[in-house]
Amino acid sequence: MPSTTTRSPVQPITVALLGTPEVSAATLYGFVDVLAGVRRDWQMLHGGPPTGSPFRPLVVSRDGRPFDAGNGVRITPDASFAQCPDPDVVCVTDLMIPPGTPLDGMYEPEVAWLRDAWAAGATLGSSCSGAVLLARTGLLDGIDATSHWAYCDLLAREYPRTRWHADRGLVVTGPQQRILMAGSGVMWQMLALALIARFASPEDAMRAARINLIDLNQTSPIAYASLTHGGRADDPLIARCQLWAAQHYRSEAPVARMAALSGLAERTFKRRFVQATGQAPLEYVHTLRLEEAKHMLETTELPVEAVALEVGYQDPSFFGRLFRRRVALTPAQYRRRFGALERTLREASGASLPMRAARHG
């Protein structure tokens, strides 16, 4: 089911990323990279036509002037608060300040800007210690929230009306679930994925996770790989067979049927297929079947044996061995890891929420 906030590519989703001298460049530009690569990178890896991201990430600061970030990297903002187009999302990526640091009015322009963006209908986000600034807006009163575990106890004392959860990696909260907060460390990646799921689609978010190897567990990169990357062969005859295989990979004797479709002797067909794709025809069919199996394990509760049958394997044991060899996880391990991620992203996508009101009149 597509997100209710999915937009046309001609209407970019403006994500304003707050730049301050206390920000870490890695997290700030990590958001930029992940959001800018949505759809674009998947198409590139699969040999598809060039496609732009539906997101327009902008680094925004109070005056738009270059500054040195908390880790010494020179940051050149894209815009000042006054120059920034009305944002759909505003994110406080992080603040490199010790827990309990007195802010003494340091961020009053930033707090006012966040409040104005909220009043105009923007979704607000924070990751890690960025919650320190978001809490100063008063918008977290009476709702759930999270931050880095080292900050939550102090935040709970300073903002007792907010329910702080140091144990939660991602919190979707507030009126109309318009506040998204990520907890410690690399959980900013989950915030980025949640925003992609909500404003583009859960499928786009899953693809971004797989391309960027986003996970909180020790997992082989092979588990994230799209087995079907590479696109169609330049050889028109083989490309025609690839298209047939994409629609009929469940069929019995698929290699013989592709050879018949090609009009070539089977041995000649196999040789030409390898030359065009780098894979033997049967290996290519296995690739298509396993990629579909991965999708079914992510999105359904079908037993593994049923998944095997659905994608064309009569022997579940063979399917399990092949899956583990190609994906580096058993089917059950893959479902536990990526099925949970897919459900989290689908919930964060807000697909069950009412359509957002028009932002600008």
mmCIF file of all heavy atoms in Angstrom, residues 232 235-249 251-270 272-273 281 284-285 288:
data_model
loop_
_atom_site.group_PDB
_atom_site.id
_atom_site.type_symbol
_atom_site.label_atom_id
_atom_site.label_comp_id
_atom_site.label_asym_id
_atom_site.label_seq_id
_atom_site.Cartn_x
_atom_site.Cartn_y
_atom_site.Cartn_z
ATOM 1 N N ARG A 232 19.408 -5.145 -18.048
ATOM 2 C CA ARG A 232 19.218 -6.024 -19.187
ATOM 3 C C ARG A 232 20.481 -6.108 -20.042
ATOM 4 O O ARG A 232 21.274 -5.166 -20.113
ATOM 5 C CB ARG A 232 18.071 -5.509 -20.056
ATOM 6 C CG ARG A 232 16.730 -5.494 -19.335
ATOM 7 C CD ARG A 232 16.021 -6.840 -19.455
ATOM 8 N NE ARG A 232 14.765 -6.802 -18.731
ATOM 9 C CZ ARG A 232 14.528 -7.424 -17.579
ATOM 10 N NH1 ARG A 232 15.476 -8.147 -17.017
ATOM 11 N NH2 ARG A 232 13.366 -7.342 -16.981
ATOM 12 N N ASP A 235 22.492 -7.596 -25.747
ATOM 13 C CA ASP A 235 22.077 -8.529 -26.794
ATOM 14 C C ASP A 235 20.548 -8.597 -26.809
ATOM 15 O O ASP A 235 19.936 -9.096 -25.853
ATOM 16 C CB ASP A 235 22.686 -9.897 -26.503
ATOM 17 C CG ASP A 235 22.392 -10.925 -27.589
ATOM 18 O OD1 ASP A 235 21.314 -10.854 -28.236
ATOM 19 O OD2 ASP A 235 23.223 -11.824 -27.778
ATOM 20 N N PRO A 236 19.876 -8.115 -27.856
ATOM 21 C CA PRO A 236 18.406 -8.079 -27.861
ATOM 22 C C PRO A 236 17.770 -9.435 -27.661
ATOM 23 O O PRO A 236 16.750 -9.560 -26.982
ATOM 24 C CB PRO A 236 18.065 -7.486 -29.229
ATOM 25 C CG PRO A 236 19.298 -6.757 -29.655
ATOM 26 C CD PRO A 236 20.442 -7.534 -29.085
ATOM 27 N N LEU A 237 18.359 -10.482 -28.221
ATOM 28 C CA LEU A 237 17.781 -11.817 -28.099
ATOM 29 C C LEU A 237 17.834 -12.281 -26.644
ATOM 30 O O LEU A 237 16.855 -12.812 -26.109
ATOM 31 C CB LEU A 237 18.525 -12.790 -29.013
ATOM 32 C CG LEU A 237 17.947 -14.201 -29.160
ATOM 33 C CD1 LEU A 237 18.277 -14.760 -30.541
ATOM 34 C CD2 LEU A 237 18.509 -15.126 -28.076
ATOM 35 N N ILE A 238 18.977 -12.072 -25.992
ATOM 36 C CA ILE A 238 19.123 -12.474 -24.591
ATOM 37 C C ILE A 238 18.262 -11.586 -23.693
ATOM 38 O O ILE A 238 17.663 -12.055 -22.721
ATOM 39 C CB ILE A 238 20.594 -12.438 -24.167
ATOM 40 C CG1 ILE A 238 21.410 -13.419 -25.020
ATOM 41 C CG2 ILE A 238 20.743 -12.754 -22.685
ATOM 42 C CD1 ILE A 238 20.929 -14.857 -24.956
ATOM 43 N N ALA A 239 18.180 -10.304 -24.014
ATOM 44 C CA ALA A 239 17.329 -9.405 -23.237
ATOM 45 C C ALA A 239 15.876 -9.870 -23.299
ATOM 46 O O ALA A 239 15.142 -9.782 -22.304
ATOM 47 C CB ALA A 239 17.454 -7.980 -23.754
ATOM 48 N N ARG A 240 15.455 -10.359 -24.452
ATOM 49 C CA ARG A 240 14.092 -10.880 -24.582
ATOM 50 C C ARG A 240 13.895 -12.090 -23.674
ATOM 51 O O ARG A 240 12.865 -12.237 -23.018
ATOM 52 C CB ARG A 240 13.842 -11.265 -26.036
ATOM 53 C CG ARG A 240 12.449 -11.808 -26.316
ATOM 54 C CD ARG A 240 12.335 -12.269 -27.754
ATOM 55 N NE ARG A 240 11.033 -12.869 -28.030
ATOM 56 C CZ ARG A 240 10.790 -13.679 -29.038
ATOM 57 N NH1 ARG A 240 11.768 -13.972 -29.897
ATOM 58 N NH2 ARG A 240 9.597 -14.188 -29.234
ATOM 59 N N CYS A 241 14.920 -12.946 -23.588
ATOM 60 C CA CYS A 241 14.838 -14.106 -22.705
ATOM 61 C C CYS A 241 14.850 -13.694 -21.232
ATOM 62 O O CYS A 241 14.177 -14.313 -20.408
ATOM 63 C CB CYS A 241 15.999 -15.066 -22.997
ATOM 64 S SG CYS A 241 15.905 -15.845 -24.631
ATOM 65 N N GLN A 242 15.604 -12.658 -20.912
ATOM 66 C CA GLN A 242 15.588 -12.148 -19.542
ATOM 67 C C GLN A 242 14.200 -11.659 -19.161
ATOM 68 O O GLN A 242 13.730 -11.888 -18.042
ATOM 69 C CB GLN A 242 16.599 -11.007 -19.403
ATOM 70 C CG GLN A 242 18.053 -11.429 -19.362
ATOM 71 C CD GLN A 242 18.961 -10.218 -19.205
ATOM 72 O OE1 GLN A 242 19.100 -9.423 -20.141
ATOM 73 N NE2 GLN A 242 19.586 -10.080 -18.043
ATOM 74 N N LEU A 243 13.557 -10.956 -20.078
ATOM 75 C CA LEU A 243 12.210 -10.460 -19.811
ATOM 76 C C LEU A 243 11.241 -11.615 -19.601
ATOM 77 O O LEU A 243 10.399 -11.590 -18.698
ATOM 78 C CB LEU A 243 11.748 -9.580 -20.972
ATOM 79 C CG LEU A 243 10.371 -8.925 -20.817
ATOM 80 C CD1 LEU A 243 10.350 -8.010 -19.600
ATOM 81 C CD2 LEU A 243 10.017 -8.133 -22.079
ATOM 82 N N TRP A 244 11.382 -12.665 -20.413
ATOM 83 C CA TRP A 244 10.539 -13.847 -20.238
ATOM 84 C C TRP A 244 10.788 -14.471 -18.865
ATOM 85 O O TRP A 244 9.854 -14.820 -18.138
ATOM 86 C CB TRP A 244 10.835 -14.876 -21.338
ATOM 87 C CG TRP A 244 9.989 -16.119 -21.216
ATOM 88 C CD1 TRP A 244 8.782 -16.345 -21.787
ATOM 89 C CD2 TRP A 244 10.295 -17.286 -20.433
ATOM 90 N NE1 TRP A 244 8.295 -17.587 -21.421
ATOM 91 C CE2 TRP A 244 9.211 -18.185 -20.595
ATOM 92 C CE3 TRP A 244 11.370 -17.659 -19.638
ATOM 93 C CZ2 TRP A 244 9.190 -19.432 -19.966
ATOM 94 C CZ3 TRP A 244 11.340 -18.896 -19.003
ATOM 95 C CH2 TRP A 244 10.262 -19.768 -19.174
ATOM 96 N N ALA A 245 12.060 -14.582 -18.478
ATOM 97 C CA ALA A 245 12.411 -15.208 -17.204
ATOM 98 C C ALA A 245 11.848 -14.411 -16.026
ATOM 99 O O ALA A 245 11.423 -14.984 -15.015
ATOM 100 C CB ALA A 245 13.925 -15.337 -17.078
ATOM 101 N N ALA A 246 11.835 -13.082 -16.144
ATOM 102 C CA ALA A 246 11.310 -12.252 -15.061
ATOM 103 C C ALA A 246 9.839 -12.528 -14.813
ATOM 104 O O ALA A 246 9.350 -12.348 -13.685
ATOM 105 C CB ALA A 246 11.521 -10.778 -15.397
ATOM 106 N N GLN A 247 9.131 -12.994 -15.837
ATOM 107 C CA GLN A 247 7.703 -13.256 -15.703
ATOM 108 C C GLN A 247 7.385 -14.736 -15.471
ATOM 109 O O GLN A 247 6.287 -15.067 -15.006
ATOM 110 C CB GLN A 247 6.976 -12.771 -16.966
ATOM 111 C CG GLN A 247 7.124 -11.276 -17.214
ATOM 112 C CD GLN A 247 6.620 -10.850 -18.584
ATOM 113 O OE1 GLN A 247 6.454 -11.681 -19.473
ATOM 114 N NE2 GLN A 247 6.377 -9.562 -18.747
ATOM 115 N N HIS A 248 8.336 -15.607 -15.797
ATOM 116 C CA HIS A 248 8.050 -17.051 -15.766
ATOM 117 C C HIS A 248 9.118 -17.848 -15.000
ATOM 118 O O HIS A 248 9.295 -19.036 -15.258
ATOM 119 C CB HIS A 248 7.955 -17.605 -17.198
ATOM 120 C CG HIS A 248 6.906 -16.955 -18.041
ATOM 121 N ND1 HIS A 248 7.182 -15.857 -18.844
ATOM 122 C CD2 HIS A 248 5.579 -17.217 -18.193
ATOM 123 C CE1 HIS A 248 6.074 -15.494 -19.470
ATOM 124 N NE2 HIS A 248 5.091 -16.286 -19.088
ATOM 125 N N TYR A 249 9.794 -17.222 -14.066
ATOM 126 C CA TYR A 249 10.887 -17.922 -13.381
ATOM 127 C C TYR A 249 10.395 -19.109 -12.556
ATOM 128 O O TYR A 249 11.170 -19.996 -12.204
ATOM 129 C CB TYR A 249 11.665 -16.955 -12.479
ATOM 130 C CG TYR A 249 10.831 -16.220 -11.463
ATOM 131 C CD1 TYR A 249 10.470 -16.827 -10.256
ATOM 132 C CD2 TYR A 249 10.384 -14.924 -11.704
ATOM 133 C CE1 TYR A 249 9.703 -16.160 -9.331
ATOM 134 C CE2 TYR A 249 9.611 -14.248 -10.782
ATOM 135 C CZ TYR A 249 9.272 -14.871 -9.593
ATOM 136 O OH TYR A 249 8.503 -14.212 -8.676
ATOM 137 N N SER A 251 8.492 -21.398 -13.669
ATOM 138 C CA SER A 251 8.210 -22.483 -14.608
ATOM 139 C C SER A 251 9.200 -23.632 -14.458
ATOM 140 O O SER A 251 10.355 -23.447 -14.060
ATOM 141 C CB SER A 251 8.272 -21.971 -16.044
ATOM 142 O OG SER A 251 7.362 -20.915 -16.252
ATOM 143 N N GLU A 252 8.741 -24.840 -14.799
ATOM 144 C CA GLU A 252 9.642 -25.984 -14.856
ATOM 145 C C GLU A 252 10.494 -25.875 -16.122
ATOM 146 O O GLU A 252 10.058 -25.327 -17.143
ATOM 147 C CB GLU A 252 8.839 -27.283 -14.884
ATOM 148 C CG GLU A 252 8.079 -27.554 -13.586
ATOM 149 C CD GLU A 252 7.364 -28.894 -13.603
ATOM 150 O OE1 GLU A 252 7.590 -29.671 -14.553
ATOM 151 O OE2 GLU A 252 6.595 -29.139 -12.671
ATOM 152 N N ALA A 253 11.707 -26.384 -16.048
ATOM 153 C CA ALA A 253 12.650 -26.373 -17.174
ATOM 154 C C ALA A 253 12.766 -24.990 -17.813
ATOM 155 O O ALA A 253 12.625 -24.836 -19.033
ATOM 156 C CB ALA A 253 12.229 -27.412 -18.222
ATOM 157 N N PRO A 254 13.039 -23.945 -17.045
ATOM 158 C CA PRO A 254 13.067 -22.594 -17.616
ATOM 159 C C PRO A 254 14.190 -22.389 -18.631
ATOM 160 O O PRO A 254 14.021 -21.621 -19.578
ATOM 161 C CB PRO A 254 13.250 -21.693 -16.388
ATOM 162 C CG PRO A 254 13.904 -22.567 -15.370
ATOM 163 C CD PRO A 254 13.323 -23.933 -15.595
ATOM 164 N N VAL A 255 15.305 -23.068 -18.460
ATOM 165 C CA VAL A 255 16.416 -22.870 -19.386
ATOM 166 C C VAL A 255 16.051 -23.424 -20.758
ATOM 167 O O VAL A 255 16.291 -22.769 -21.790
ATOM 168 C CB VAL A 255 17.706 -23.526 -18.852
ATOM 169 C CG1 VAL A 255 18.828 -23.427 -19.891
ATOM 170 C CG2 VAL A 255 18.134 -22.863 -17.541
ATOM 171 N N ALA A 256 15.462 -24.612 -20.779
ATOM 172 C CA ALA A 256 15.049 -25.197 -22.054
ATOM 173 C C ALA A 256 14.017 -24.315 -22.736
ATOM 174 O O ALA A 256 14.040 -24.129 -23.965
ATOM 175 C CB ALA A 256 14.497 -26.602 -21.834
ATOM 176 N N ARG A 257 13.116 -23.737 -21.961
ATOM 177 C CA ARG A 257 12.082 -22.887 -22.550
ATOM 178 C C ARG A 257 12.680 -21.578 -23.072
ATOM 179 O O ARG A 257 12.251 -21.053 -24.104
ATOM 180 C CB ARG A 257 10.991 -22.622 -21.524
ATOM 181 C CG ARG A 257 10.251 -23.900 -21.126
ATOM 182 C CD ARG A 257 9.087 -23.632 -20.205
ATOM 183 N NE ARG A 257 8.032 -22.857 -20.858
ATOM 184 C CZ ARG A 257 6.896 -22.508 -20.271
ATOM 185 N NH1 ARG A 257 6.688 -22.844 -18.997
ATOM 186 N NH2 ARG A 257 5.989 -21.809 -20.915
ATOM 187 N N MET A 258 13.668 -21.023 -22.372
ATOM 188 C CA MET A 258 14.335 -19.821 -22.895
ATOM 189 C C MET A 258 15.110 -20.140 -24.170
ATOM 190 O O MET A 258 15.130 -19.332 -25.108
ATOM 191 C CB MET A 258 15.268 -19.234 -21.837
ATOM 192 C CG MET A 258 14.567 -18.435 -20.761
ATOM 193 S SD MET A 258 15.711 -17.449 -19.743
ATOM 194 C CE MET A 258 16.510 -18.734 -18.779
ATOM 195 N N ALA A 259 15.756 -21.303 -24.197
ATOM 196 C CA ALA A 259 16.477 -21.696 -25.412
ATOM 197 C C ALA A 259 15.526 -21.821 -26.590
ATOM 198 O O ALA A 259 15.824 -21.363 -27.705
ATOM 199 C CB ALA A 259 17.219 -23.013 -25.175
ATOM 200 N N ALA A 260 14.359 -22.416 -26.342
ATOM 201 C CA ALA A 260 13.373 -22.541 -27.408
ATOM 202 C C ALA A 260 12.897 -21.166 -27.868
ATOM 203 O O ALA A 260 12.727 -20.924 -29.076
ATOM 204 C CB ALA A 260 12.192 -23.383 -26.928
ATOM 205 N N LEU A 261 12.715 -20.250 -26.898
ATOM 206 C CA LEU A 261 12.288 -18.899 -27.241
ATOM 207 C C LEU A 261 13.339 -18.191 -28.094
ATOM 208 O O LEU A 261 13.007 -17.428 -29.011
ATOM 209 C CB LEU A 261 12.044 -18.105 -25.953
ATOM 210 C CG LEU A 261 11.635 -16.631 -26.104
ATOM 211 C CD1 LEU A 261 10.257 -16.530 -26.758
ATOM 212 C CD2 LEU A 261 11.611 -15.947 -24.729
ATOM 213 N N SER A 262 14.602 -18.477 -27.818
ATOM 214 C CA SER A 262 15.683 -17.810 -28.556
ATOM 215 C C SER A 262 15.833 -18.338 -29.974
ATOM 216 O O SER A 262 16.397 -17.660 -30.848
ATOM 217 C CB SER A 262 17.006 -17.990 -27.804
ATOM 218 O OG SER A 262 17.483 -19.325 -27.923
ATOM 219 N N GLY A 263 15.378 -19.575 -30.202
ATOM 220 C CA GLY A 263 15.554 -20.184 -31.513
ATOM 221 C C GLY A 263 16.943 -20.755 -31.729
ATOM 222 O O GLY A 263 17.274 -21.195 -32.842
ATOM 223 N N LEU A 264 17.750 -20.790 -30.671
ATOM 224 C CA LEU A 264 19.109 -21.303 -30.757
ATOM 225 C C LEU A 264 19.174 -22.714 -30.187
ATOM 226 O O LEU A 264 18.337 -23.108 -29.372
ATOM 227 C CB LEU A 264 20.071 -20.405 -29.973
ATOM 228 C CG LEU A 264 20.156 -18.942 -30.384
ATOM 229 C CD1 LEU A 264 21.013 -18.167 -29.381
ATOM 230 C CD2 LEU A 264 20.729 -18.816 -31.800
ATOM 231 N N ALA A 265 20.196 -23.450 -30.609
ATOM 232 C CA ALA A 265 20.469 -24.717 -29.937
ATOM 233 C C ALA A 265 20.797 -24.424 -28.474
ATOM 234 O O ALA A 265 21.382 -23.388 -28.157
ATOM 235 C CB ALA A 265 21.643 -25.426 -30.612
ATOM 236 N N GLU A 266 20.412 -25.347 -27.591
ATOM 237 C CA GLU A 266 20.550 -25.062 -26.160
ATOM 238 C C GLU A 266 21.997 -24.743 -25.778
ATOM 239 O O GLU A 266 22.240 -23.824 -24.980
ATOM 240 C CB GLU A 266 20.031 -26.242 -25.328
ATOM 241 C CG GLU A 266 19.961 -25.920 -23.827
ATOM 242 C CD GLU A 266 19.084 -26.896 -23.059
ATOM 243 O OE1 GLU A 266 18.092 -27.382 -23.638
ATOM 244 O OE2 GLU A 266 19.401 -27.169 -21.889
ATOM 245 N N ARG A 267 22.955 -25.475 -26.320
ATOM 246 C CA ARG A 267 24.354 -25.204 -25.982
ATOM 247 C C ARG A 267 24.763 -23.816 -26.460
ATOM 248 O O ARG A 267 25.432 -23.071 -25.740
ATOM 249 C CB ARG A 267 25.253 -26.273 -26.606
ATOM 250 C CG ARG A 267 26.731 -26.066 -26.304
ATOM 251 C CD ARG A 267 27.591 -27.164 -26.890
ATOM 252 N NE ARG A 267 27.288 -28.454 -26.280
ATOM 253 C CZ ARG A 267 27.931 -29.595 -26.593
ATOM 254 N NH1 ARG A 267 28.876 -29.582 -27.517
ATOM 255 N NH2 ARG A 267 27.613 -30.718 -25.994
ATOM 256 N N THR A 268 24.352 -23.469 -27.664
ATOM 257 C CA THR A 268 24.675 -22.142 -28.199
ATOM 258 C C THR A 268 24.006 -21.054 -27.361
ATOM 259 O O THR A 268 24.599 -20.004 -27.069
ATOM 260 C CB THR A 268 24.218 -22.024 -29.659
ATOM 261 O OG1 THR A 268 24.841 -23.047 -30.423
ATOM 262 C CG2 THR A 268 24.558 -20.658 -30.236
ATOM 263 N N PHE A 269 22.753 -21.300 -26.990
ATOM 264 C CA PHE A 269 22.035 -20.335 -26.169
ATOM 265 C C PHE A 269 22.744 -20.093 -24.834
ATOM 266 O O PHE A 269 22.927 -18.952 -24.406
ATOM 267 C CB PHE A 269 20.608 -20.828 -25.911
ATOM 268 C CG PHE A 269 19.906 -20.082 -24.821
ATOM 269 C CD1 PHE A 269 19.448 -18.786 -25.012
ATOM 270 C CD2 PHE A 269 19.727 -20.663 -23.560
ATOM 271 C CE1 PHE A 269 18.808 -18.087 -23.994
ATOM 272 C CE2 PHE A 269 19.098 -19.971 -22.543
ATOM 273 C CZ PHE A 269 18.640 -18.687 -22.758
ATOM 274 N N LYS A 270 23.149 -21.173 -24.176
ATOM 275 C CA LYS A 270 23.815 -21.035 -22.879
ATOM 276 C C LYS A 270 25.096 -20.214 -23.009
ATOM 277 O O LYS A 270 25.384 -19.343 -22.168
ATOM 278 C CB LYS A 270 24.125 -22.405 -22.294
ATOM 279 C CG LYS A 270 22.890 -23.173 -21.835
ATOM 280 C CD LYS A 270 23.282 -24.545 -21.278
ATOM 281 C CE LYS A 270 22.059 -25.301 -20.779
ATOM 282 N NZ LYS A 270 22.422 -26.661 -20.274
ATOM 283 N N ARG A 272 25.868 -17.997 -25.311
ATOM 284 C CA ARG A 272 25.538 -16.607 -25.631
ATOM 285 C C ARG A 272 24.962 -15.883 -24.407
ATOM 286 O O ARG A 272 25.221 -14.687 -24.202
ATOM 287 C CB ARG A 272 24.547 -16.572 -26.786
ATOM 288 C CG ARG A 272 24.249 -15.190 -27.335
ATOM 289 C CD ARG A 272 23.681 -15.313 -28.721
ATOM 290 N NE ARG A 272 22.992 -14.111 -29.159
ATOM 291 C CZ ARG A 272 22.426 -13.967 -30.356
ATOM 292 N NH1 ARG A 272 22.477 -14.956 -31.243
ATOM 293 N NH2 ARG A 272 21.807 -12.847 -30.677
ATOM 294 N N PHE A 273 24.208 -16.591 -23.590
ATOM 295 C CA PHE A 273 23.632 -15.993 -22.381
ATOM 296 C C PHE A 273 24.747 -15.585 -21.409
ATOM 297 O O PHE A 273 24.727 -14.491 -20.834
ATOM 298 C CB PHE A 273 22.680 -16.991 -21.714
ATOM 299 C CG PHE A 273 21.764 -16.364 -20.695
ATOM 300 C CD1 PHE A 273 20.457 -16.030 -21.024
ATOM 301 C CD2 PHE A 273 22.196 -16.113 -19.395
ATOM 302 C CE1 PHE A 273 19.601 -15.445 -20.096
ATOM 303 C CE2 PHE A 273 21.354 -15.541 -18.453
ATOM 304 C CZ PHE A 273 20.051 -15.208 -18.804
ATOM 305 N N PRO A 281 22.380 -19.429 -17.610
ATOM 306 C CA PRO A 281 20.924 -19.233 -17.566
ATOM 307 C C PRO A 281 20.280 -19.754 -16.289
ATOM 308 O O PRO A 281 19.422 -19.081 -15.711
ATOM 309 C CB PRO A 281 20.423 -19.978 -18.803
ATOM 310 C CG PRO A 281 21.590 -20.013 -19.725
ATOM 311 C CD PRO A 281 22.802 -20.087 -18.870
ATOM 312 N N TYR A 284 20.956 -17.522 -13.423
ATOM 313 C CA TYR A 284 20.141 -16.315 -13.550
ATOM 314 C C TYR A 284 18.722 -16.560 -13.035
ATOM 315 O O TYR A 284 18.146 -15.724 -12.325
ATOM 316 C CB TYR A 284 20.096 -15.864 -15.003
ATOM 317 C CG TYR A 284 19.368 -14.559 -15.216
ATOM 318 C CD1 TYR A 284 19.985 -13.347 -14.937
ATOM 319 C CD2 TYR A 284 18.062 -14.547 -15.697
ATOM 320 C CE1 TYR A 284 19.322 -12.140 -15.121
ATOM 321 C CE2 TYR A 284 17.386 -13.346 -15.888
ATOM 322 C CZ TYR A 284 18.024 -12.156 -15.601
ATOM 323 O OH TYR A 284 17.351 -10.961 -15.773
ATOM 324 N N VAL A 285 18.153 -17.709 -13.358
ATOM 325 C CA VAL A 285 16.810 -18.045 -12.872
ATOM 326 C C VAL A 285 16.820 -18.168 -11.349
ATOM 327 O O VAL A 285 15.911 -17.682 -10.666
ATOM 328 C CB VAL A 285 16.304 -19.336 -13.534
ATOM 329 C CG1 VAL A 285 15.001 -19.805 -12.868
ATOM 330 C CG2 VAL A 285 16.075 -19.126 -15.026
ATOM 331 N N LEU A 288 16.646 -14.709 -9.867
ATOM 332 C CA LEU A 288 15.303 -14.130 -9.880
ATOM 333 C C LEU A 288 14.422 -14.755 -8.801
ATOM 334 O O LEU A 288 13.682 -14.054 -8.107
ATOM 335 C CB LEU A 288 14.662 -14.338 -11.255
ATOM 336 C CG LEU A 288 15.311 -13.613 -12.434
ATOM 337 C CD1 LEU A 288 14.650 -14.055 -13.738
ATOM 338 C CD2 LEU A 288 15.188 -12.111 -12.277
#
